[in-house]
Amino acid sequence: MKKNTILLLLFSCTFILQAQEFSRKDSLRGHLTEIRTCYDVTFYDLFVMVDEKELFLDRSYNIIHFNVVSDFNEIQIDLALNMEVMRIEFEAEELKFSREFDAVFINFPRVLKKGEQANIKVWYGGYPREAVNPPWDGGFSWKTDKHNKPWIGVSCQGLGASVWWPCKDHQSDEPDSMRIKVAARYPLKIIANGNLRSDTSVWNQYFNSWMNVSEWFVSYPINNYNVTLNIGDYEHFSENYITENDTLRMDYYVLSDNLEKAKEHFKQVKPMMECFENYFGKYPFWNDGYALVETPYLGMEHQSAIAYGNDFLPGYHGNKSHIDGLDFDFIIVHESGHEWWGNSITTNDIADMWVHEGFCTYAEVLYVECMHGYDAMLSYVNNQKRSVRNDKPVLGPYHVNKEGSSDMYFKGSLMLHTLRSLIENDALWFEIIKGIVNEFKYQTIDGQAIISYINERSGKDFTKFFNQYLKNKEIPEFQYKFQKEGRNTTLLYRWEAIPNFDMPILINTGSKDLWIYPTIEWKEQDLGSFDKYDFKVRNDLFFIEIKKQ
């Protein structure tokens, strides 16, 4: 059989398998077709009226401002099928539209030309999806506090913002800025992203009630899933974080009963910010401020309004084994790390979410090194190994709105820890980390851009390294055995890994560390006369399996 025929059959089989695994709905959400790439969103002007009694969004709208990238008379926006699109307006006309799954196809009465700036106003409402297990299985959390007062939050990573508001729901297109205006029954307080511009009370005849209306403004690019609202009996306090010649406002919004507890517990925020700024540079959303908002779910990295629901406990809701027995609040540290990794730098496709989660989980490792020293860092990062499942590749399939393995967190972090060891130059390593933040700040990118940047700055080609850890579910296995000839010992060793994998590692023979350079073929290393029981592979510096033959 000819090679081309074999390749064609393999391609056909792969296509059939993918077609069986993913649906038309997945492609509509994940694929960038011409009716999505033909326009670039520049500004969202979102108004949401929340009826907490009916669990309903009433007479809400989003004005979508955009630049025309290529001529069109039809575009796609997104809104969950269970939500109603009531009317779409353009240049004082009502537009025709059709729906398929969560996609909304809008027809225009004329051709919009490349270079134009335009907007549409989408009126909508309905019963948004209620969160099942937020933030992992999100939506609206309609809860009450212990005084039976409404306590509402929303989380939608993975699901997408289109579960509760109409937008171009693809990570590759962020607005340059955004206004978020929310109405809820008085005296409930409303917290959203960015800075509070106004807070007023008006009478609403439909609700037969006074309504609080809060207007918030985000002055930086923001990804759709980071847009949030929080409604409840909130108390507010703030402090200033001063660095060099600038001042960052830090705001905290907690339920009224937790005010004093929060003032004490949140003292760990400033030291954390100092650590992160040391490694990653200036907090990226300086003008919008930094905020923690108490939520009825565990946490989420909502830009400049981080969701906090860890009940003022150390670790992961009190579980300190998750953080190697240390005493910091995991949710504060992890979700704050996302302000750099995920919020400032965002991947175009959620298949590349290892950039968000791997680097952010590694940010915890660096926080520990900053606060507790190098040895504590080594212990912390190696503690993450027990949570890796190696169930499927970290890199997900593109264009179908599908993430890879949840190993993107811990395996991603351990991969970066391994990379630090391979670069073998901490000054360069930290220059690369900070360089990534500065190079790709406020951008949406492909994961390959990060890999290419690391290769260029390090002067080494880590393509096979990343292929092993991202595209292959197993980690590389170092296989070795000893061969004794008189008093002399020879080490035989190789990798069980992807083709052409050739990562060097450190071993220790009792007195010093020694670099060896295994490939997938057996190699030999003369170790001279030594006690083989002193032999050790420095697997505290690498994420690998070890097998003695």
Side-chain angles (χ1 to χ4, degrees), residues 108-391:
F108 290 80
R110 64 175 179 84
V111 174
L112 279 74
K113 295 292 187 178
K114 179 179 178 179
E116 278 192 64
Q117 296 179 337
N119 68 78
I120 56 174
K121 188 173 185 177
V122 184
W123 290 90
Y124 76 104
Y127 297 91
R129 184 184 194 273
E130 187 167 357
V132 177
N133 183 29
W136 304 278
D137 193 355
F140 261 73
S141 294
W142 305 97
K143 303 295 182 181
T144 56
D145 63 22
K146 63 182 180 181
H147 300 293
N148 208 34
K149 295 179 181 180
W151 188 18
I152 304 163
V154 62
S155 54
C156 60
Q157 186 178 19
L159 285 171
S162 54
V163 297
W164 67 284
W165 59 284
C167 58
K168 181 180 178 179
D169 205 0
H170 196 278
Q171 281 190 182
S172 65
D173 198 354
E174 298 181 339
D176 301 325
S177 56
M178 182 170 182
R179 181 166 70 162
I180 307 163
K181 198 172 181 180
V182 183
R185 282 187 176 86
Y186 178 87
L188 295 172
K189 295 176 182 175
I190 302 156
I191 317 300
N193 310 80
N195 284 312
L196 179 63
R197 279 188 163 181
S198 66
D199 209 358
T200 58
S201 295
V202 297
W203 178 259
N204 187 297
Q205 60 180 342
Y206 297 104
F207 280 57
N208 193 32
S209 171
W210 284 97
M211 304 287 286
N212 275 345
V213 182
S214 296
E215 179 185 334
W216 296 78
F217 188 80
V218 179
S219 64
Y220 296 89
I222 184 170
N223 205 274
N224 295 343
Y225 74 79
N226 272 315
V227 177
T228 192
L229 59 82
N230 304 275
I231 301 171
D233 179 29
Y234 282 111
E235 292 286 345
H236 167 245
F237 68 100
S238 64
E239 61 180 348
N240 290 329
Y241 169 74
I242 300 172
T243 177
E244 296 179 352
N245 297 318
D246 213 343
T247 301
L248 173 68
R249 181 180 173 90
M250 292 179 155
D251 291 294
Y252 308 104
Y253 301 91
V254 297
L255 296 183
S256 55
D257 285 349
N258 295 329
L259 182 60
E260 296 306 316
K261 186 187 300 184
K263 286 181 178 179
E264 181 62 30
H265 190 75
F266 291 165
K267 286 180 179 179
Q268 62 192 286
V269 173
K270 277 187 177 181
M272 173 204 69
M273 187 64 72
E274 290 176 5
C275 288
F276 282 167
E277 287 206 328
N278 177 56
Y279 292 117
F280 310 137
K282 189 174 181 179
Y283 173 73
F285 306 108
W286 199 273
N287 295 332
D288 286 356
Y290 168 93
L292 289 177
V293 187
E294 189 177 2
T295 55
Y297 55 91
L298 187 62
M300 188 62 204
E301 62 261 27
H302 297 136
Q303 183 174 310
S304 66
I306 293 166
Y308 174 79
N310 206 35
D311 291 338
F312 311 98
L313 295 169
Y316 189 89
H317 213 244
N319 178 7
K320 294 202 289 186
S321 65
H322 187 79
I323 58 168
D324 200 33
L326 299 175
D327 203 37
F328 64 88
D329 190 312
F330 167 80
I331 292 298
I332 292 176
V333 172
H334 181 85
E335 305 304 348
S336 296
H338 273 303
E339 293 283 53
W340 289 265
W341 305 104
N343 298 355
S344 178
I345 300 173
T346 307
T347 57
N348 286 316
D349 195 301
I350 67 171
D352 277 324
M353 287 291 282
W354 64 270
V355 175
H356 297 210
E357 301 299 352
F359 276 94
C360 188
T361 305
Y362 185 66
E364 301 166 30
V365 175
L366 295 182
Y367 166 79
V368 170
E369 183 170 357
C370 175
M371 296 293 293
H372 302 284
Y374 182 82
D375 289 343
M377 178 278 291
L378 277 182
S379 179
Y380 187 91
V381 72
N382 281 282
N383 184 61
Q384 294 177 340
K385 291 177 178 178
R386 63 192 180 95
S387 299
V388 176
R389 299 186 299 172
N390 293 320
D391 58 341

Side-chain angles (χ1 to χ4, degrees), residues 514-534:
L514 173 70
W515 283 102
I516 59 172
Y517 299 87
T519 65
I520 60 172
E521 305 294 335
W522 285 102
K523 298 177 74 173
E524 297 182 2
Q525 177 79 32
D526 184 7
L527 299 178
S529 177
F530 89 109
D531 187 341
K532 65 181 181 180
Y533 295 105
D534 289 335

